[in-house]
Amino acid sequence: MNESPAVNVLLVDDEAAFLETLSKRLARRGLKVETACDGAAALEALGHCQALDVVILDVKMPGLSGLEVLQRIKAARPLLEVVLLTGHATLEGAVDGMRLGAFDYLMKPCEMDDLLAKIFEAKARKDEQERKIGAAEALCREQQP
């Protein structure tokens, strides 16, 4: 992981201490981290952070829930990958999140290595989807008279 490509992450959690600690831990590992303390702030950040690769999203938050934010993220930026992170996981919540387009679902507290692995897997999936779309667009341009 020493030569990992830069990854731009939006970290969303309503627990300020957790948000600050996890943000610092990810930044120390070379990730570029933006933070948001609730769903509304996450959606605002989404509007001004065009280079995002992965969103780490708490499921249980006051106001907009993580699942509501997930739906809005996927509607606005379908290729942006979202990893749900919660201390209140249920099988139903995991299934709902995956059905709504989440990349994966992790329980708090999770091991840093597990979270980093999910972030890098999600980034790789986003990059591959963008590559395929670019190749398809190039093929379409070539076939135009």
Side-chain angles (χ1 to χ4, degrees):
M1 265 192 260
N2 293 344
E3 295 301 318
S4 303
V7 180
N8 295 301
V9 176
L10 174 61
L11 180 58
V12 185
D13 200 294
D14 61 317
E15 296 176 38
F18 177 80
L19 189 67
E20 182 179 342
T21 300
L22 186 55
S23 174
K24 287 178 181 176
R25 291 182 74 191
L26 292 173
R28 276 196 303 261
R29 286 164 175 82
L31 283 71
K32 184 174 185 299
V33 183
E34 298 286 334
T35 60
C37 60
D38 59 31
L43 295 174
E44 184 179 319
L46 191 68
H48 66 78
C49 298
Q50 292 303 311
L52 288 175
D53 297 305
V54 181
V55 177
I56 307 300
L57 179 62
D58 188 17
V59 174
K60 297 274 188 190
M61 295 183 291
L64 292 172
S65 75
L67 294 180
E68 290 172 304
V69 175
L70 170 63
Q71 286 181 291
R72 293 185 188 189
I73 288 171
K74 285 301 191 177
R77 309 247 307 260
L79 297 182
L80 184 57
E81 296 295 350
V82 178
V83 176
L84 297 175
L85 186 62
T86 185
H88 310 282
T90 64
L91 180 58
E92 181 181 322
V95 170
D96 288 346
M98 300 304 280
R99 188 170 15 88
L100 293 171
F103 177 78
D104 213 331
Y105 196 93
L106 295 172
M107 286 282 298
K108 282 186 207 172
C110 66
E111 293 294 324
M112 182 57 66
D113 288 344
D114 293 339
L115 180 58
L116 286 169
K118 291 297 175 200
I119 290 170
F120 288 118
E121 289 170 22
K123 165 83 162 103
R125 182 162 124 182
K126 177 180 178 277
D127 289 348
E128 178 64 13
Q129 293 298 328
E130 289 174 345
R131 187 197 62 73
K132 287 179 180 178
I133 289 169
E137 289 172 341
L139 185 61
C140 287
R141 283 191 299 274
E142 288 174 9
Q143 294 177 348
Q144 290 178 349

